[in-house]
Structures are given as C-alpha cells and as structure tokens.
Amino acid sequence: LRREARRAVMPSQITIDRERWRDGVEKLADSIGAEVYADPLGAFVIRLQPVLLGEPVLVIKTGDDGTLVDGDEELTRERTYNRVIVEGVRSDGTPPVRDVVSDTDTSSPTYYGGPFGRRPRYYSSPLLTTVGQCTTTGESLLARAKGMQSSITLETVPHPGLEAGDLIRAELPDGRRQLHIVDSFNIPLRVGPVQKISSRSVELPPESGG
C-alpha cells in the first residue's frame, strides 16, 4: 500500500457490518481528507484529495501544434455545494464535534453568498472526534463537490504518463482556458485511437431565468 500524504493521521476505529469499501475504506479516507484508489499496476494509493491549484502537468489545446481532437462538455449544478457542515457523533460517550467549511473565495463561481447562492451539504461520521478532523473532512468534501458536476470529456493524442488526480489545463476552441482534475482515462493499445479523458473543473453554467 503506497501512501501519498504529508503527514500520518490515525482515524478512530469503527465496526463495518456491510459494505467494506463504501462504509469502511471510503469513510476512513473522508475522515482524513484523502481518497483511495487502485493505480494501473493494481497497487492501492492513499493520498490527499486533489484540488484545482498549482501548475498543470499537461496542457491540451487546439491548433497546429495542439493535441486536442474533440471535447464534450457537460455543465450542471446538481450535487454541487459551496458549504459543508460536518459533525462527529459517537455512541460511546465521546462529546460531539462540529465545524462548517464554506467557499470563501470571492473570485470563485461557487462563492458562498455570491450569485451561485447558498447550497450546503451535511455530513456526519462516528470517525470524527475533534474539530480539526471535521475541518479536514469538510475541506476535502468541499473541494470535491465544487467541481464534481462540471465535467468535460476530452479526446486527445494519447499521453501514457497521465494519472488519475493529475491537474491539466484545457485550452478550448472558443478561447477558454480551464484547469481540470483528471478523473479517468483510457490508454489505447494500438496506433490510431484517441485517448478519452474525463475530468472536472469549477466552471459552472449561468443561472437559468425564472
């Protein structure tokens, strides 16, 4: 098991009665602001939740020297939140804890209190026993929810060095330049087929009238 994180965090213990992955592994990862997945070689990776900050590892663009073949964009506000209210409640007498994490970046399209509105998500877990843990979990869930449903599928010249969670920049034919987190992709095994990359950003469609 390879761990990609800046510090070691020990979550509380829980008893898993049913779904080991959903109710166990994923919730343990959420409690420390991380995610878990299997890499192409079958090794499980634990790392901090990727965010849309920093330098992209790859620029995909159109033009004579570009690699972008086609793109299919899907923008929706469903399941997109700009505040996460996190609670830690246990049945063993441990005092409950709570914290609220909001999108406070005034330049963000999902700024809490801005044109996007106020859309909270509530999350509760017995794994959370301190306010600090609630904060870490809230920041992780917020980073994931802000761009989860603002997705684009890119068809490009294959790049075998990509990994899930990589930050890329897409320079679209209409002139927009977007940072995206790679969610999934394929690697063609023969010459000819394009590589399809599914990714997400924080660009959102405008509010509809009414």
Side-chain angles (χ1 to χ4, degrees):
L1 188 69
R2 189 170 85 248
R3 178 177 178 81
E4 296 180 358
R6 290 171 291 189
R7 63 185 185 278
V9 180
M10 295 301 296
S12 303
Q13 293 184 354
I14 57 172
T15 300
I16 305 168
D17 296 324
R18 291 185 293 179
E19 294 285 342
R20 293 184 177 181
W21 186 264
R22 184 187 62 191
D23 298 334
V25 174
E26 288 187 344
K27 287 190 176 181
L28 282 167
D30 285 341
S31 72
I32 59 173
E35 66 177 6
V36 183
Y37 66 95
D39 67 15
L41 298 178
F44 282 91
V45 178
I46 304 173
R47 69 172 177 196
L48 298 178
Q49 190 69 224
V51 295
L52 287 159
L53 294 173
E55 290 296 320
V57 301
L58 178 67
V59 176
I60 301 174
K61 59 183 179 179
T62 57
D64 294 338
D65 59 344
T67 58
L68 181 63
V69 177
D70 196 7
D72 182 17
E73 192 170 18
E74 179 183 357
L75 300 176
T76 174
R77 293 173 178 269
E78 294 182 6
R79 291 185 294 167
T80 302
Y81 310 97
N82 52 11
R83 169 171 284 187
V84 182
I85 301 170
V86 184
E87 295 181 330
V89 181
R90 294 179 63 89
S91 59
D92 59 1
T94 302
V97 290
R98 183 178 187 270
D99 198 14
V100 179
V101 179
S102 306
D103 183 358
T104 58
D105 181 2
T106 56
S107 64
S108 171
T110 55
Y111 169 61
Y112 188 78
F116 183 76
R118 301 182 178 184
R119 303 193 179 186
R121 175 189 175 181
Y122 296 87
Y123 181 86
S124 177
S125 171
L127 291 167
L128 306 175
T129 58
T130 68
V131 174
Q133 286 179 318
C134 290
T135 303
T136 298
T137 297
E139 290 174 346
S140 172
L141 295 176
L142 182 64
R144 187 186 309 167
K146 285 195 302 181
M148 181 177 292
Q149 296 303 310
S150 305
S151 60
I152 185 170
T153 300
L154 303 171
E155 293 187 357
T156 180
V157 175
H159 190 294
L162 276 181
E163 293 186 7
D166 277 349
L167 186 66
I168 63 174
R169 186 172 75 232
E171 298 184 0
L172 304 178
D174 59 9
R176 286 179 296 154
R177 298 157 64 95
Q178 298 178 336
L179 285 176
H180 285 256
I181 293 174
V182 175
D183 283 329
S184 63
F185 57 91
N186 71 317
I187 299 179
L189 299 180
R190 58 186 177 87
V191 177
V194 296
Q195 183 176 38
K196 292 186 178 181
I197 304 172
S198 296
S199 62
R200 52 191 157 99
S201 183
V202 293
E203 181 166 324
L204 297 167
E207 289 279 12
S208 59

